[in-house]
Amino acid sequence: MARVVVDVMLKPEILDPQGQAVQRALPRLGFTGIADVRQGKRFELELEGPVDEAALVRIREAAETFLANTVIEDFTVRVEDGQ
């Protein structure tokens, strides 16, 4: 089986309160030197067949219509190595 990963992140211009909360907590826990944190989502899709261009088109359509809110989020689709 092949694995395709869809990473979903808030667009840079959208405020990320969860990322900000993590960024503020890190120094209190001893993790210094981190300038910014953005939180996102990762979807791992196991495909039954080969990862060809038609499969990637279907996955991009799923990401655009269901996995990501494209008004406020961007997404990337990639085939995971070793699969």
Side-chain angles (χ1 to χ4, degrees), residues 1-82:
M1 289 191 140
R3 177 178 293 163
V4 176
V5 175
V6 179
D7 290 309
V8 180
M9 296 292 295
L10 286 171
K11 292 182 177 183
E13 63 271 16
I14 302 297
L15 181 66
D16 183 358
Q18 290 177 315
Q20 289 177 339
V22 170
Q23 181 183 4
R24 286 190 303 269
L26 287 171
R28 292 193 307 263
L29 298 171
F31 300 101
T32 60
I34 298 172
D36 192 27
V37 176
R38 305 279 295 169
Q39 183 170 322
K41 301 177 278 191
R42 173 184 165 116
F43 297 92
E44 295 181 357
L45 308 171
E46 298 284 340
L47 301 186
E48 293 177 351
V51 181
D52 56 14
E53 190 56 36
L56 290 174
V57 166
R58 286 193 338 264
I59 290 170
R60 286 186 192 99
E61 288 173 356
E64 190 167 356
T65 59
F66 181 67
L67 301 178
N69 177 350
T70 57
V71 173
I72 62 170
E73 295 173 318
D74 291 325
F75 67 88
T76 59
V77 175
R78 64 183 167 84
V79 178
E80 191 161 86
D81 291 335

